[in-house]
Amino acid sequence: MLQTASGIESRVQQKLGGNPTSVDSIVVGKGNEVKMKPGQHLLIVNQLYPYTVQFKEDPNRGHVGTKRRQPASEERENDKKASSIKVARPAERVASSVNNAESTLTIETTGHWSLGLKASMQDPKMQIYKDERVVVIKDKYPKARYHWLVLPWESIPSLKALHGEHCDLLRHMQQVADKMIQQCKDASSLRFRSGYHAIPSMSPLTLFSSHVHLHVISQDFDSPCLKNKKHWNSFTTDYFIESQDVIQMLEKNGRVTVKEGAGELLKQPLSCHVCHKELPTLPRLKDHLKSHFP
């Protein structure tokens, strides 16, 4: 909760977790308050998402005297306005006009997976491999028995942001993926694929772009997290671009070309990726897969 007092300074109080919030370099811990002044940065999730909060001075402030009590109807209106304020975009300033002595600004958070992705790659508990160039984590919502993500430390928002100089990095990511597969105890009985989604997922708040990541996934697709047609088609159609194909495009053209209308591939009929039989529903498809992957 971020509370603004007379538009001059604010107090930040938030539960301290694995990825603490801080005001500049001061960590906001459980049970204590940190005064926040105009121009300081509110850093959320280990400084991954900085916000600058700007306060407007109350023109009526500074006069010594008895504070005027607002009518109940006016107070209710102010409370309604305060509760509707949303989180701002990074580096964007939030102008908060304060008409009464105290008001409340609630910073809402989202559980969207793309935000958790960037937090997870920084969390030692989530890391199953890391070196100076990449980190590997388990997908939080795996779509198969084995589903890992290989992420570069370098921030790359999408395949379209890749260029020729990234060839070596992507080759390294594939080498790490191959090691993960070789070390898997079921590698001899399961087939794996390594690749990228054609279109990266975005936060619904459009605050943060995605982060390029290489999916390493077993082809059994035996997981309760595989819930809809979009999930299935994102891994079994051309929406899923093989890692080697991405590397070859970079080597040949210096960029990655994503086909127009790639998003329409997610709407294709459900079809078994082994025998290509079409099934009417995902439960029927998952039951059918048991014949291929006991």
Side-chain angles (χ1 to χ4, degrees):
M1 182 72 71
L2 174 64
Q3 296 181 322
T4 62
S6 302
I8 296 300
E9 64 180 23
S10 63
R11 298 173 186 272
V12 181
Q13 191 171 19
Q14 182 170 317
K15 182 177 179 181
L16 179 63
N19 298 287
T21 291
S22 62
V23 175
D24 286 341
S25 61
I26 305 174
V27 173
V28 181
K30 182 178 180 181
N32 71 302
E33 291 183 339
V34 177
K35 291 183 178 181
M36 184 175 179
K37 298 179 180 180
Q40 288 187 304
H41 287 86
L42 174 63
L43 302 167
I44 300 176
V45 191
N46 265 349
Q47 303 186 14
L48 288 177
Y49 312 125
Y51 296 83
T52 300
V53 181
Q54 179 178 308
F55 303 95
K56 284 185 178 179
E57 187 106 25
D58 185 355
N60 297 320
R61 188 178 178 275
H63 299 286
V64 179
T66 304
K67 186 177 74 173
R68 181 177 67 87
R69 178 66 179 174
Q70 289 181 315
S73 60
E74 197 172 329
E75 287 185 341
R76 284 196 298 270
E77 184 63 25
N78 283 334
D79 289 341
K80 191 181 297 183
K81 289 179 180 179
S83 65
S84 66
I85 299 177
K86 304 291 184 182
V87 62
R89 298 189 178 190
E92 204 171 59
R93 295 180 174 179
V94 182
S96 175
S97 180
V98 183
N99 295 319
N100 54 351
E102 288 190 0
S103 65
T104 301
L105 173 66
T106 302
I107 292 186
E108 300 179 353
T109 58
T110 175
H112 190 261
W113 74 269
S114 67
L115 306 185
L117 181 66
K118 293 192 175 185
S120 294
M121 65 183 289
Q122 300 284 344
D123 186 353
K125 295 179 181 178
M126 298 293 292
Q127 299 167 351
I128 55 178
Y129 171 87
K130 69 174 181 177
D131 57 32
E132 70 283 355
R133 305 183 75 180
V134 302
V135 60
V136 181
I137 63 174
K138 287 184 179 180
D139 193 295
K140 191 174 181 179
Y141 306 102
K143 302 304 185 291
R145 295 176 196 173
Y146 299 98
H147 189 178
W148 304 296
L149 305 179
V150 184
L151 301 105
W153 291 114
E154 180 182 347
S155 182
I156 306 171
S158 68
L159 292 179
K160 291 183 178 181
L162 292 169
H163 48 78
E165 294 179 0
H166 288 119
C167 283
D168 189 55
L169 172 62
L170 266 63
R171 281 192 289 265
H172 179 70
M173 291 171 67
Q174 181 57 52
Q175 289 170 0
V176 171
D178 291 339
K179 289 180 182 178
M180 296 301 302
I181 296 171
Q182 291 167 8
Q183 294 172 7
C184 176
K185 61 184 179 66
D186 292 325
S188 60
S189 59
L190 289 175
R191 188 168 69 90
F192 283 79
R193 290 182 73 195
S194 303
Y196 302 85
H197 282 155
I199 304 172
S201 297
M202 303 286 285
S203 164
L205 294 178
T206 66
L207 300 181
F208 317 109
S209 62
S210 185
H211 187 98
V212 159
H213 49 283
L214 175 64
H215 290 270
V216 186
I217 186 168
S218 59
Q219 296 301 287
D220 53 273
F221 294 105
D222 180 14
S223 170
C225 296
L226 185 71
K227 296 181 178 180
N228 55 51
K229 181 189 289 189
K230 179 180 177 181
H231 290 162
W232 175 257
N233 284 333
S234 68
F235 288 99
T236 60
T237 67
D238 289 340
Y239 190 89
F240 188 80
I241 307 175
E242 292 282 351
S243 174
Q244 292 297 342
D245 291 340
V246 172
I247 293 172
Q248 288 177 10
M249 276 190 275
L250 279 183
E251 290 175 339
K252 183 178 179 180
N253 306 317
R255 63 189 180 91
V256 177
T257 302
V258 177
K259 295 179 181 178
E260 291 292 331
E264 294 299 309
L265 295 171
L266 300 178
K267 302 175 183 178
Q268 286 189 359
L270 293 168
S271 175
C272 175
H273 65 306
V274 179
C275 66
H276 307 295
K277 179 180 179 179
E278 286 194 13
L279 285 302
T281 65
L282 190 63
R284 290 276 299 275
L285 173 59
K286 294 178 82 169
D287 190 55
H288 169 80
L289 291 177
K290 294 175 184 177
S291 65
H292 297 299
F293 304 96

